[in-house]
Amino acid sequence: MNVVCSKCAALNRVPEAKRHDKPVCGKCKTPLLPNRPVELSEATFAKFVGRTEVPILVDFWASWCGPCRMMAPAFAEAASALSPQVILAKLNTEEAPQTASKFAISGIPTLILFKRGTEVGRQSGALDVQQIIQFAS
């Protein structure tokens, strides 16, 4: 399977059988299937979501958003529970307005589940750990 590194954007091939062996990027040695949310930016979002073959759950958020801040610990806990089957990522809509606009983000927090670069689910509003896990499954 193909996995784009969240740090250096290098494309890595990971054998499916090695998914649970904590694979790292061949270029920068960053964990490819981390048990914590990864930060995406305007520059990294399209390649990371479009080329990674592992499902990705993206939290569209902003630092001024109270519900976003309240949901952050639950999102981090869900990342630990869902790894390595699903990668959880965060995109700050204030720092990535073009990407937020492309996905018509009108309220935050909004979670979008991507599979092979295609949006397959969307949920707006703060969720608890179990709701995030259920949504991603």
Side-chain angles (χ1 to χ4, degrees), residues 4 13-14 81 85 107 110:
V4 175
R13 295 220 14 96
V14 178
Q85 305 298 60
T110 292

Side-chain angles (χ1 to χ4, degrees), residues 84-116:
Q85 305 298 60
V86 180
I87 298 172
L88 274 65
K90 297 178 76 64
L91 182 78
N92 186 327
T93 58
E94 295 291 300
E95 296 173 2
Q98 291 177 333
T99 302
S101 177
K102 177 181 176 184
F103 289 98
I105 303 299
S106 58
I108 52 174
T110 292
L111 300 179
I112 299 181
L113 181 62
F114 295 91
K115 291 187 179 174
R116 296 186 180 262

Side-chain angles (χ1 to χ4, degrees), residues 20-64:
H20 294 280
D21 293 344
K22 299 183 179 176
V24 296
C25 176
K27 184 176 178 183
C28 73
K29 306 303 181 210
T30 296
L32 293 173
L33 301 171
N35 61 358
R36 58 168 180 70
V38 298
E39 297 287 335
L40 299 178
S41 68
E42 201 91 79
T44 61
F45 184 90
K47 183 175 182 183
F48 186 81
V49 171
R51 304 277 310 269
T52 297
E53 294 176 347
V54 176
I56 302 169
L57 181 61
V58 180
D59 174 18
F60 290 81
W61 70 287
S63 60
W64 52 262

